[in-house]
Amino acid sequence: MKPQNLTTVQTAKDLGLLPEEFERIKEILSRVPNFTELSIFSVMWSEHCSYKNSITWLKKLPKDGPRMLAKAGEENAGLVDLGDGIGCAFKIESHNHPSALEPYQGAATGVGGINRDIFTMGARPIAQLNSLRFGDLKNDRTKWLIKGVVKGIGDYGNAFGIPTVGGELFFDECYQVNPLVNAFSAGIVKAGETVSATSYGVGNPVYIVGSSTGKDGIHGAAFASKNITEDSVNDLPAVQVGDPFQEKLLLEASLEVIKTGAVIGMQDMGAAGIICSNSEMSAKGEHGMVIDLDKVPTRQENMQPFEILLSESQERMLIVVEKGREAEVQAVFDKWDLNCVQIGEVTNTKRLVYYRHGEMVADVPADDLVLGGGAPVYQREYKEPAYFAENKKFNIEQVLEPEDLKAVADHLISHPNIASKRWVTDQYDSMVGTSTVTTNQPCDAAVVAVKGTDKAIVLTLDCNSRYVYADPEIGCEIAVAEAARNITCAGGEPVAITNCLNFGNPYVPEVYWQFVGAIKGMSKACTKFETPVTGGNVSFYNQSSDEGPVFPTPTIGMLGVMDDLSTLTRSDFRNQGNLIYLIGESKNDIASSQYLASFHKIAASPAPYFDLEKEYAMHQVIKQLIKEKLLVSAHDVADGGLYIALLESAMPNGLGFKIETDEAIRKDAFLFGEAQGRVVVSIKPENQEALVELLATSETEFSFLGTVTSGDLLIDDTDFGTVKEASAIYNNVLHNILGD
Amino acid sequence: MKFGVVIFPGSNCDEDIIYVLEKIMGQQVVRLWHKDHDLQGADFIVLPGGFSFGDYLRSGAIARFSPIMQEVIRFANNGGFLLGICNGFQILTEAGLVPGALLHNQNRKFICRNTYLKAQTNNSVLTSQVDLNKALKIPVAHGEGNFYADKNSIEELKQNDQILFRYCDAAGNYTDEANANGSIQNIAGVCNKARNVFGLMPHPERAADSLLANQDGLAIFESILSVANA
């Protein structure tokens, strides 16, 4: 190789590597790397690909469970056994940095990437969700961001043809500069039809299929591993461009080519492009590859070797094929009019060797590039931030109870965090595939039927990041518990989770403390609920230079299963005169509630009341009530407290409620506090005795709240208006700010 | 009855309509690939929803030139039954097989939600069994579904009884609010003058399975079968 291409420690720094990492690379190669090789290390050792600052803690998460078919880190996504020979692959991933710069393409390619992670395993995606967080909605830049992100997700997901069935939307000023865009997908695969991201068999051909490779997204993974600054605009070429039509063709062709049985291994090309797929597949299969970069179909002339290797052009796959069966593979991609080009072959060297114009341009050992191999692993320092002790000083007595609680109710229903999200959800095709059971039957989690079986998967994304900021450990326990509660209320059985860990700069000890706390909380709660962590993604550096880090946001994507739809439980009140009960305990608690944060504008408070053991016990009671068919509806108490939970159950069918509060508890805490572990249920009057009997024998607290009315909202005989009035506000909050 | 469902690259409601025709209505269905020239003896052709060829140009503008479409157009011109749903309707207007055009939704956004529609006539294969007084709950999912035709064409459609469905509210009133995409006179579906080609923006196949707790779309499929089998 040409000596003039040799690099220095300054080149390494410019590529985002540390001086000690440059030394380590020289040791691995026993020489100074050239620019192409150094580029390879810089992306593979970026936080995004190597998890170097998080893996020590991620390893502490519970990964085992009776239903796990592929554990965290083994494949592109976790794979869970649904029974009867059916598996579900599911995963969540962030696209925060690209979306901050170019919301439309940033969000769109996030959707494309997560779906490729699913179908590269042989699973056909059947449902998508997304979790979005923005700054103040009244801000013009926020409006631009949300419009672009939602249109990007919609245009990509709608054309791709997989329904978007649920998700989250949350606003807080901490996300002003750095919004969060987390995309989730779940797919179904028959046992024995999965494909692994591996490569072996000397002489087996290596194919690149799908779109051509362009100069987009180069160093995207490294870009995702930096703070956002005013210079970030210079990183615009690091944002990729999506083409959902190509993705749809690639989906069909990939699933068809797997059926031929000629595929040894397959991996999509997302972050860090060809080099990432080459190295991860080769390291897993303990083989090497020799690749001729001249063969890669490119969009531009004269691309440099590092550009071809690092390009994050979308809608591409790397496939290793059994030698002699090339024609079968070619025929499938010809049918779908997609590129399918052999670019190299498998070797026994465990090294990746690249040629360009007949000249060797890079020679690196595969294993040293990847997580679990030679990629660096760091222990980061962490330190409790000063705000944590301040939060604990909060006392409800310092907050004066408002005289007009109807004004609080009106404030909450007109707050974008509480109000209807239909401005967003109407832009997503939520019904294509005709399996979305929850279209006409609202539930606390999305329920999607698995065609050809009696089963359904039950999906939810949850994280109240205000709680996690207040107390990372308890806040993250709550995120897991809320996800399990939603799945349980819908009539499903929680099975496993995927996580998207959005945090600030890991080199800031106070930020890393939030990360460590969240991992501890997640471990504890996932162990309790027997929902192992199947994988996900870590997104650090979600902070700007002047506004500090975002709230620590470990988004939990939980998968539940329903063996048949007989346990499906809706969240809406159905009939006037039905009785309303609260399962769980009312508490004199308003900590970290939407009410405290936006009505009283008090930011310093601990996480709301939460007891993991009682929460778990309460879920078992709900399951029992569902099994005994005693419930008409079940809806968990979450953001906005009991009042909002009641209203959300009332609105779908234009019904109301008449309830009594508890004298032992402050009325504002009773109605708007967000103490955890509570579910509002409605029942037919004739089932009251059976319900009370079942609950009385359990350890779980419960109380009678009142009855379902024809539309009036009455609390201790105080008039809170009608459901019609409340709905009119609730349904139009986002429209009034964002326009039609 | 033998149905043929055309599959373009980018079709994504093809399996949904096939599921309803096969599993719920118990009919024989053949899949017609866009590169083929053979309709495989189908008696009734369906162009399904989706984003044929990505719809990066006008929706449906490219699909109409595909090899299978040349056969489908010939089939329709000879009186064969042809239904286009959503993107299929867009392809039909691009091919000039039904009148009118489908513009961007009035709010310039993709819209997916339940809408209500009422059949305007029983004098069509699609609506023969549909209760004209019932507001059917059938979802839409499109970015370009805003039906437009000039004044004379609309008059002609009315005179020839070619308007099959109009958007209404749950109570059956033809309001602006119920007209999600801004279609002229709330028009959701039409047929050609010869009454053998049908275009429909809403998705009846998304309202046909008891699993989804909404079977209002079944009346349309039952109509098709009753006429075809008569």
Side-chain angles (χ1 to χ4, degrees):
Chain A
M1 275 165 280
K2 294 176 188 169
Q4 61 264 39
N5 285 338
L6 293 183
T7 54
T8 65
V9 68
Q10 189 55 47
T11 334
K13 280 192 201 161
D14 291 346
L15 291 172
L17 288 161
L18 300 170
E20 57 267 34
E21 291 173 339
F22 184 61
E23 288 306 312
R24 175 86 191 103
I25 293 164
K26 287 196 286 188
E27 275 171 39
I28 288 169
L29 297 178
S30 306
R31 59 179 166 79
V32 177
N34 66 27
F35 184 77
T36 306
E37 291 166 332
L38 195 62
S39 291
I40 288 173
F41 278 96
S42 82
V43 291
M44 290 308 297
W45 286 8
S46 71
E47 187 65 43
H48 195 84
C49 293
S50 74
Y51 296 86
K52 60 188 172 191
N53 287 308
S54 56
I55 188 66
T56 331
W57 285 95
L58 297 179
K59 281 188 170 164
K60 298 179 197 289
L61 291 167
K63 291 187 178 63
D64 289 311
R67 287 179 181 266
M68 295 307 302
L69 297 174
K71 283 187 222 166
E74 287 180 355
E75 295 293 347
N76 280 292
L79 188 62
V80 167
D81 186 4
L82 298 180
D84 301 341
I86 302 286
C88 177
F90 72 113
K91 193 182 179 187
I92 189 168
E93 210 165 67
S94 64
H95 242 220
N96 305 334
H97 284 72
S99 304
L101 285 194
E102 215 296 69
Y104 180 83
Q105 291 295 350
T109 52
V111 171
I114 193 63
N115 279 298
R116 279 195 302 284
D117 274 337
I118 302 306
F119 69 79
T120 194
M121 296 178 68
R124 177 178 285 278
I126 65 164
Q128 317 183 70
L129 293 88
N130 57 72
S131 169
L132 310 178
R133 289 178 173 78
F134 298 97
D136 178 4
L137 185 54
K138 299 253 161 70
N139 179 289
D140 282 342
R141 185 169 177 275
T142 306
K143 290 181 195 171
W144 171 72
L145 283 171
I146 187 173
K147 285 178 180 173
V149 164
V150 170
K151 189 162 173 52
I153 292 172
D155 282 359
Y156 202 102
N158 297 344
F160 182 53
I162 306 303
T164 301
V165 298
E168 288 185 290
L169 177 63
F170 184 81
F171 301 94
D172 188 279
E173 282 170 13
C174 73
Y175 301 109
Q176 196 65 46
V177 173
N178 204 132
L180 300 184
V181 174
N182 296 174
F184 172 103
S185 179
I188 294 297
V189 59
K190 278 191 195 146
E193 291 186 7
T194 55
V195 167
S196 187
T198 190
S199 166
Y200 52 81
V202 174
N204 279 336
V206 177
Y207 278 87
I208 190 165
V209 302
S211 293
S212 299
T213 299
K215 290 189 182 181
D216 51 337
I218 292 168
H219 282 297
F223 161 57
S225 307
K226 288 199 285 197
N227 289 352
I228 287 193
T229 67
E230 60 182 27
D231 293 334
S232 291
V233 72
N234 299 328
D235 284 327
L236 254 186
V239 180
Q240 314 87 335
V241 178
D243 180 349
F245 174 58
Q246 289 293 316
E247 178 102 338
K248 166 71 174 163
L249 303 186
L250 190 59
L251 161 73
E252 300 299 340
S254 298
L255 296 183
E256 216 168 294
V257 82
I258 290 168
K259 290 219 168 87
T260 65
V263 175
I264 300 279
M266 176 152 78
Q267 182 166 342
D268 76 301
M269 270 170 277
I274 294 177
I275 184 61
C276 186
S277 309
N278 283 180
S279 56
E280 290 182 357
M281 292 173 78
S282 298
K284 189 179 169 86
E286 299 180 343
H287 274 64
M289 280 180 192
V290 56
I291 302 286
D292 183 356
L293 294 175
D294 297 350
K295 299 264 176 65
V296 176
T298 56
R299 262 180 241 156
Q300 284 111 336
E301 299 274 311
N302 301 322
M303 283 179 72
Q304 298 296 311
F306 83 94
E307 292 175 321
I308 300 174
L309 282 169
L310 271 54
S311 164
E312 295 185 4
S313 289
Q314 302 289 293
E315 295 92 23
R316 299 177 301 159
M317 291 275 190
L318 195 83
I319 304 185
V320 176
V321 173
E322 206 180 309
K323 195 172 173 59
R325 303 189 64 180
E326 292 86 345
E328 292 168 68
V329 171
Q330 196 77 50
V332 171
F333 288 94
D334 284 350
K335 174 185 166 189
W336 292 98
D337 296 318
L338 289 171
N339 285 327
C340 175
V341 179
Q342 187 183 342
I343 58 171
E345 62 178 47
V346 178
T347 66
N348 63 1
T349 62
K350 300 192 186 176
R351 295 184 78 86
L352 305 173
V353 181
Y354 296 96
Y355 285 89
R356 179 76 167 149
H357 304 315
E359 202 174 328
M360 187 194 288
V361 292
D363 176 4
V364 292
D367 199 52
D368 283 304
L369 296 174
V370 304
L371 166 69
V377 175
Y378 298 128
Q379 308 278 349
R380 293 260 75 85
E381 280 174 43
Y382 53 94
K383 190 175 117 195
E384 184 182 297
Y387 80 79
F388 189 58
E390 286 301 307
N391 285 357
K392 291 195 164 163
K393 291 181 191 159
F394 173 81
N395 182 337
I396 189 173
E397 302 303 331
Q398 298 157 344
V399 181
L400 204 62
E401 184 174 348
E403 275 179 30
D404 183 0
L405 292 176
K406 167 89 163 54
V408 178
D410 288 344
H411 164 79
L412 287 175
I413 56 177
S414 48
H415 195 286
N417 282 351
I418 302 287
S420 165
K421 309 297 186 278
R422 73 182 178 98
W423 185 91
V424 172
T425 52
D426 279 5
Q427 296 187 55
Y428 302 148
D429 190 337
S430 55
M431 308 178 196
V432 61
T434 57
S435 296
T436 313
V437 177
T438 31
T439 297
N440 298 304
Q441 304 177 96
C443 288
D444 271 9
V447 180
V448 182
V450 180
K451 288 252 175 89
T453 76
D454 293 333
K455 293 176 190 301
I457 55 171
V458 190
L459 304 166
T460 183
L461 298 185
D462 290 290
C463 178
N464 187 316
S465 55
R466 197 188 300 116
Y467 303 169
V468 185
Y469 174 76
D471 187 324
E473 194 167 337
I474 293 175
C476 197
E477 285 178 45
I478 291 175
V480 175
E482 186 182 351
R485 200 189 306 142
N486 282 327
I487 285 176
T488 302
C489 284
E493 180 69 36
V495 168
I497 73 154
T498 174
N499 58 34
C500 196
L501 306 172
N502 309 274
F503 290 81
N505 186 335
Y507 289 83
V508 176
E510 287 85 354
V511 168
Y512 207 73
W513 175 86
Q514 295 173 332
F515 176 74
V516 170
I519 296 292
K520 287 179 181 168
M522 194 184 306
S523 291
K524 198 172 159 192
C526 285
T527 305
K528 185 73 211 174
F529 288 104
E530 295 176 88
T531 51
V533 181
T534 64
N537 121 283
V538 178
S539 171
F540 282 133
Y541 306 95
N542 290 294
Q543 65 180 83
S544 66
S545 42
D546 39 331
E547 303 202 10
V550 299
F551 281 166
T553 311
T555 311
I556 303 297
M558 191 175 279
L559 169 74
V561 62
M562 223 178 249
D563 281 331
D564 61 60
L565 290 172
S566 67
T567 57
L568 181 93
T569 304
R570 294 167 59 156
S571 58
D572 54 333
F573 295 151
R574 235 67 54 74
N575 288 105
Q576 185 184 348
N578 279 359
L579 308 179
I580 308 170
Y581 276 83
L582 178 68
I583 316 290
E585 209 175 342
S586 290
K587 286 279 175 187
N588 226 3
D589 177 35
I590 56 172
S592 281
S593 60
Q594 183 66 47
Y595 160 62
L596 186 67
S598 61
F599 190 84
H600 291 291
K601 298 189 167 51
I602 294 175
S605 70
Y609 165 81
F610 176 70
D611 182 317
L612 183 59
E613 297 300 324
K614 285 189 178 176
E615 173 93 40
Y616 179 81
M618 187 271 287
H619 295 195
Q620 309 320 308
V621 168
I622 296 288
K623 282 180 202 168
Q624 192 65 26
L625 291 169
I626 289 172
K627 202 173 143 203
E628 305 282 337
K629 304 211 175 300
L630 293 176
L631 303 184
V632 172
S633 70
H635 180 35
D636 87 314
V637 178
D639 301 14
L642 177 66
Y643 181 83
I644 295 299
L646 288 164
L647 192 64
E648 285 170 345
S649 286
M651 283 186 293
N653 301 310
L655 295 166
F657 51 84
K658 179 181 190 312
I659 63 155
E660 303 283 327
T661 61
D662 182 339
E663 279 174 14
I665 303 220
R666 259 173 68 153
K667 233 178 203 181
D668 59 344
F670 186 85
L671 292 174
F672 311 116
E674 297 180 15
Q676 299 295 296
R678 294 180 294 160
V679 170
V680 169
V681 302
S682 69
I683 60 164
K684 292 177 184 164
E686 61 263 34
N687 285 329
Q688 185 172 25
E689 206 175 315
L691 175 105
V692 170
E693 195 176 316
L694 194 154
L695 287 168
T697 57
S698 79
E699 303 270 305
T700 297
E701 304 237 1
F702 69 100
S703 51
F704 175 69
L705 287 176
T707 52
V708 176
T709 68
S710 63
D712 290 330
L713 310 175
L714 293 162
I715 297 169
D716 298 335
D717 294 322
T718 304
D719 185 3
F720 273 62
T722 66
V723 74
K724 209 171 169 186
E725 293 159 3
S727 300
I729 302 171
Y730 178 90
N731 283 326
N732 293 301
V733 173
L734 296 190
H735 282 80
N736 290 340
I737 300 171
L738 294 166
D740 270 347
Chain B
M1 190 164 200
K2 191 170 177 182
F3 287 85
V5 175
V6 177
I7 301 174
F8 299 103
S11 293
N12 62 30
C13 302
D14 44 333
E15 288 302 322
D16 297 349
I17 185 76
I18 291 168
Y19 180 84
V20 169
L21 293 171
E22 266 183 2
K23 299 283 192 293
I24 297 174
M25 307 309 295
Q27 301 300 303
Q28 194 190 348
V29 182
V30 288
R31 290 167 170 79
L32 305 174
W33 183 238
H34 70 111
K35 291 179 188 171
D36 292 347
H37 292 272
D38 179 7
L39 300 182
Q40 297 180 41
D43 314 299
F44 194 116
I45 305 287
V46 181
L47 308 182
F51 290 73
S52 52
F53 297 92
D55 281 345
Y56 291 121
L57 189 58
R58 286 186 321 277
S59 295
I62 295 177
R64 79 175 181 97
F65 294 110
S66 64
I68 196 80
M69 274 309 290
Q70 307 318 308
E71 301 305 320
V72 169
I73 291 168
R74 195 169 305 140
F75 171 84
N77 286 339
N78 289 332
F81 291 127
L82 171 61
L83 164 64
I85 301 170
C86 197
N87 191 226
F89 188 6
Q90 293 163 343
I91 296 167
L92 291 179
T93 60
E94 286 290 335
L97 290 172
V98 292
L102 293 154
L103 312 181
H104 279 285
N105 295 345
Q106 207 163 43
N107 71 356
R108 312 292 292 180
K109 288 190 181 69
F110 189 93
I111 301 170
C112 173
R113 65 169 187 245
N114 276 323
T115 56
Y116 290 89
L117 29 147
K118 276 201 301 195
Q120 304 298 303
T121 174
N122 286 125
N123 179 23
S124 86
V125 172
L126 228 56
T127 56
S128 63
Q129 305 295 304
V130 182
D131 179 350
L132 300 185
N133 295 313
K134 190 183 173 194
L136 305 175
K137 182 164 84 173
I138 297 182
V140 294
H142 57 246
E144 296 172 33
N146 178 358
F147 184 81
Y148 177 79
D150 64 28
K151 212 172 162 190
N152 292 337
S153 306
I154 294 286
E155 273 315 304
E156 207 175 308
L157 287 176
K158 282 184 184 166
Q159 272 168 19
N160 298 326
D161 201 17
Q162 285 172 257
I163 300 172
L164 300 185
F165 290 99
R166 292 173 68 201
Y167 298 107
C168 58
D169 63 17
N173 306 305
Y174 301 109
T175 63
D176 284 343
E177 216 177 14
N179 187 17
N181 52 29
S183 290
I184 191 160
Q185 301 205 4
N186 291 37
I187 292 172
V190 297
C191 65
N192 65 346
K193 209 168 167 182
R195 312 193 85 73
N196 65 316
V197 183
F198 319 95
L200 191 56
M201 265 339 273
H203 288 272
E205 78 280 15
R206 297 185 180 190
D209 192 350
S210 60
L211 181 83
L212 304 176
N214 176 16
Q215 294 184 285
D216 282 7
L218 273 186
I220 293 173
F221 297 107
E222 281 160 0
S223 295
I224 294 172
L225 292 188
S226 73
V227 172
N229 294 336

Short mmCIF file of all heavy atoms in Angstrom, two decimals, chain A residues 76-78 89-92 113-126 184-188 255 268:
data_model
loop_
_atom_site.label_atom_id
_atom_site.label_comp_id
_atom_site.label_asym_id
_atom_site.label_seq_id
_atom_site.Cartn_x
_atom_site.Cartn_y
_atom_site.Cartn_z
N ASN A 76 -29.38 -9.24 14.54
CA ASN A 76 -29.74 -7.84 14.33
C ASN A 76 -30.88 -7.39 15.24
O ASN A 76 -31.06 -6.21 15.49
CB ASN A 76 -30.12 -7.61 12.88
CG ASN A 76 -28.89 -7.46 12.01
OD1 ASN A 76 -28.17 -6.48 12.14
ND2 ASN A 76 -28.63 -8.44 11.18
N ALA A 77 -31.71 -8.33 15.67
CA ALA A 77 -32.80 -8.01 16.58
C ALA A 77 -33.04 -9.22 17.46
O ALA A 77 -32.58 -10.32 17.16
CB ALA A 77 -34.06 -7.66 15.79
N GLY A 78 -33.74 -9.01 18.56
CA GLY A 78 -34.08 -10.12 19.44
C GLY A 78 -35.14 -10.99 18.78
O GLY A 78 -35.93 -10.52 17.97
N ALA A 89 -39.50 -11.23 15.83
CA ALA A 89 -38.29 -10.43 15.90
C ALA A 89 -38.71 -8.98 16.12
O ALA A 89 -39.61 -8.50 15.43
CB ALA A 89 -37.50 -10.55 14.61
N PHE A 90 -38.12 -8.31 17.09
CA PHE A 90 -38.52 -6.92 17.33
C PHE A 90 -37.36 -6.12 17.89
O PHE A 90 -36.46 -6.64 18.54
CB PHE A 90 -39.72 -6.87 18.28
CG PHE A 90 -39.42 -7.22 19.71
CD1 PHE A 90 -39.51 -6.25 20.71
CD2 PHE A 90 -39.04 -8.50 20.07
CE1 PHE A 90 -39.23 -6.56 22.03
CE2 PHE A 90 -38.76 -8.81 21.40
CZ PHE A 90 -38.85 -7.84 22.37
N LYS A 91 -37.37 -4.83 17.59
CA LYS A 91 -36.27 -3.97 18.00
C LYS A 91 -36.65 -2.50 17.88
O LYS A 91 -37.52 -2.14 17.08
CB LYS A 91 -35.05 -4.24 17.10
CG LYS A 91 -33.75 -3.64 17.61
CD LYS A 91 -32.62 -3.90 16.64
CE LYS A 91 -31.31 -3.29 17.12
NZ LYS A 91 -30.26 -3.41 16.11
N ILE A 92 -35.98 -1.69 18.68
CA ILE A 92 -36.17 -0.24 18.59
C ILE A 92 -34.81 0.39 18.34
O ILE A 92 -33.77 -0.13 18.78
CB ILE A 92 -36.81 0.32 19.88
CG1 ILE A 92 -37.21 1.79 19.69
CG2 ILE A 92 -35.91 0.16 21.10
CD1 ILE A 92 -38.10 2.33 20.79
N GLY A 113 -34.32 1.75 8.43
CA GLY A 113 -33.26 0.98 9.09
C GLY A 113 -33.81 -0.06 10.05
O GLY A 113 -33.36 -1.21 10.06
N ILE A 114 -34.78 0.32 10.83
CA ILE A 114 -35.29 -0.62 11.84
C ILE A 114 -36.03 -1.77 11.16
O ILE A 114 -35.95 -2.92 11.59
CB ILE A 114 -36.15 0.09 12.92
CG1 ILE A 114 -36.38 -0.84 14.11
CG2 ILE A 114 -37.48 0.57 12.37
CD1 ILE A 114 -35.14 -1.22 14.83
N ASN A 115 -36.72 -1.47 10.07
CA ASN A 115 -37.42 -2.56 9.38
C ASN A 115 -36.43 -3.53 8.73
O ASN A 115 -36.67 -4.73 8.71
CB ASN A 115 -38.40 -1.99 8.35
CG ASN A 115 -39.69 -1.55 9.01
OD1 ASN A 115 -40.40 -2.37 9.60
ND2 ASN A 115 -40.00 -0.27 8.96
N ARG A 116 -35.32 -3.00 8.19
CA ARG A 116 -34.31 -3.90 7.60
C ARG A 116 -33.72 -4.82 8.66
O ARG A 116 -33.42 -5.98 8.40
CB ARG A 116 -33.21 -3.11 6.90
CG ARG A 116 -33.59 -2.65 5.51
CD ARG A 116 -32.38 -2.19 4.71
NE ARG A 116 -31.65 -1.13 5.35
CZ ARG A 116 -32.03 0.15 5.40
NH1 ARG A 116 -33.17 0.51 4.84
NH2 ARG A 116 -31.31 1.06 6.00
N ASP A 117 -33.56 -4.29 9.90
CA ASP A 117 -33.06 -5.14 10.97
C ASP A 117 -33.98 -6.34 11.20
O ASP A 117 -33.54 -7.40 11.62
CB ASP A 117 -32.96 -4.35 12.29
CG ASP A 117 -31.64 -3.61 12.40
OD1 ASP A 117 -30.68 -4.01 11.74
OD2 ASP A 117 -31.58 -2.61 13.14
N ILE A 118 -35.26 -6.14 10.96
CA ILE A 118 -36.23 -7.21 11.18
C ILE A 118 -36.23 -8.19 10.01
O ILE A 118 -36.12 -9.39 10.18
CB ILE A 118 -37.65 -6.62 11.40
CG1 ILE A 118 -37.66 -5.66 12.60
CG2 ILE A 118 -38.68 -7.73 11.58
CD1 ILE A 118 -37.13 -6.22 13.89
N PHE A 119 -36.34 -7.65 8.76
CA PHE A 119 -36.47 -8.63 7.66
C PHE A 119 -35.15 -9.24 7.24
O PHE A 119 -35.13 -10.26 6.57
CB PHE A 119 -37.32 -8.09 6.50
CG PHE A 119 -36.78 -6.98 5.64
CD1 PHE A 119 -35.86 -7.24 4.64
CD2 PHE A 119 -37.27 -5.69 5.76
CE1 PHE A 119 -35.41 -6.23 3.80
CE2 PHE A 119 -36.82 -4.66 4.93
CZ PHE A 119 -35.88 -4.93 3.95
N THR A 120 -34.03 -8.66 7.67
CA THR A 120 -32.75 -9.32 7.41
C THR A 120 -32.65 -10.65 8.17
O THR A 120 -31.86 -11.51 7.83
CB THR A 120 -31.57 -8.40 7.77
OG1 THR A 120 -30.38 -8.92 7.21
CG2 THR A 120 -31.38 -8.27 9.25
N MET A 121 -33.50 -10.80 9.19
CA MET A 121 -33.52 -12.06 9.93
C MET A 121 -34.50 -13.07 9.33
O MET A 121 -34.64 -14.18 9.82
CB MET A 121 -33.90 -11.81 11.40
CG MET A 121 -32.87 -10.96 12.12
SD MET A 121 -33.36 -10.62 13.82
CE MET A 121 -33.25 -12.25 14.55
N GLY A 122 -35.21 -12.64 8.30
CA GLY A 122 -36.19 -13.52 7.67
C GLY A 122 -37.60 -13.29 8.17
O GLY A 122 -38.52 -14.00 7.77
N ALA A 123 -37.77 -12.31 9.05
CA ALA A 123 -39.11 -12.04 9.61
C ALA A 123 -39.80 -10.96 8.77
O ALA A 123 -39.16 -10.00 8.35
CB ALA A 123 -38.98 -11.56 11.05
N ARG A 124 -41.09 -11.14 8.53
CA ARG A 124 -41.85 -10.12 7.81
C ARG A 124 -42.42 -9.13 8.82
O ARG A 124 -43.19 -9.53 9.70
CB ARG A 124 -42.99 -10.75 7.01
CG ARG A 124 -43.88 -9.72 6.29
CD ARG A 124 -44.97 -10.39 5.48
NE ARG A 124 -44.47 -10.98 4.25
CZ ARG A 124 -44.24 -10.29 3.11
NH1 ARG A 124 -44.48 -9.00 3.06
NH2 ARG A 124 -43.80 -10.91 2.05
N PRO A 125 -42.02 -7.84 8.72
CA PRO A 125 -42.55 -6.86 9.67
C PRO A 125 -44.07 -6.82 9.59
O PRO A 125 -44.64 -6.87 8.50
CB PRO A 125 -41.95 -5.54 9.20
CG PRO A 125 -40.73 -5.91 8.41
CD PRO A 125 -41.07 -7.24 7.77
N ILE A 126 -44.75 -6.74 10.76
CA ILE A 126 -46.22 -6.62 10.74
C ILE A 126 -46.69 -5.40 11.53
O ILE A 126 -47.88 -5.07 11.48
CB ILE A 126 -46.95 -7.89 11.25
CG1 ILE A 126 -46.66 -8.16 12.72
CG2 ILE A 126 -46.60 -9.09 10.39
CD1 ILE A 126 -47.65 -9.16 13.34
N PHE A 184 -39.54 1.67 16.07
CA PHE A 184 -39.68 0.28 16.50
C PHE A 184 -40.36 -0.51 15.40
O PHE A 184 -41.26 -0.02 14.72
CB PHE A 184 -40.55 0.27 17.77
CG PHE A 184 -40.98 -1.09 18.26
CD1 PHE A 184 -40.35 -1.67 19.36
CD2 PHE A 184 -42.03 -1.77 17.67
CE1 PHE A 184 -40.76 -2.92 19.83
CE2 PHE A 184 -42.44 -3.02 18.14
CZ PHE A 184 -41.81 -3.59 19.23
N SER A 185 -39.92 -1.76 15.24
CA SER A 185 -40.63 -2.65 14.31
C SER A 185 -40.65 -4.06 14.87
O SER A 185 -39.74 -4.47 15.59
CB SER A 185 -39.95 -2.65 12.94
OG SER A 185 -40.62 -3.52 12.05
N ALA A 186 -41.72 -4.77 14.55
CA ALA A 186 -41.84 -6.17 14.97
C ALA A 186 -42.25 -7.00 13.77
O ALA A 186 -43.09 -6.57 12.97
CB ALA A 186 -42.88 -6.32 16.08
N GLY A 187 -41.63 -8.16 13.63
CA GLY A 187 -41.94 -9.03 12.50
C GLY A 187 -42.13 -10.46 12.93
O GLY A 187 -41.74 -10.85 14.03
N ILE A 188 -42.74 -11.23 12.04
CA ILE A 188 -43.08 -12.63 12.35
C ILE A 188 -42.29 -13.56 11.42
O ILE A 188 -42.17 -13.28 10.23
CB ILE A 188 -44.60 -12.84 12.15
CG1 ILE A 188 -45.38 -12.02 13.18
CG2 ILE A 188 -44.97 -14.31 12.24
CD1 ILE A 188 -45.15 -12.40 14.63
N LEU A 255 -37.07 -11.86 1.51
CA LEU A 255 -37.83 -12.99 2.06
C LEU A 255 -37.92 -14.12 1.04
O LEU A 255 -37.89 -15.30 1.41
CB LEU A 255 -39.22 -12.53 2.52
CG LEU A 255 -39.23 -11.52 3.68
CD1 LEU A 255 -40.66 -11.19 4.10
CD2 LEU A 255 -38.44 -12.03 4.89
N ASP A 268 -28.28 -6.33 6.90
CA ASP A 268 -28.58 -5.08 6.22
C ASP A 268 -27.41 -4.13 6.38
O ASP A 268 -26.55 -4.31 7.24
CB ASP A 268 -29.84 -4.45 6.79
CG ASP A 268 -29.60 -3.80 8.14
OD1 ASP A 268 -29.17 -4.52 9.05
OD2 ASP A 268 -29.83 -2.59 8.26
#
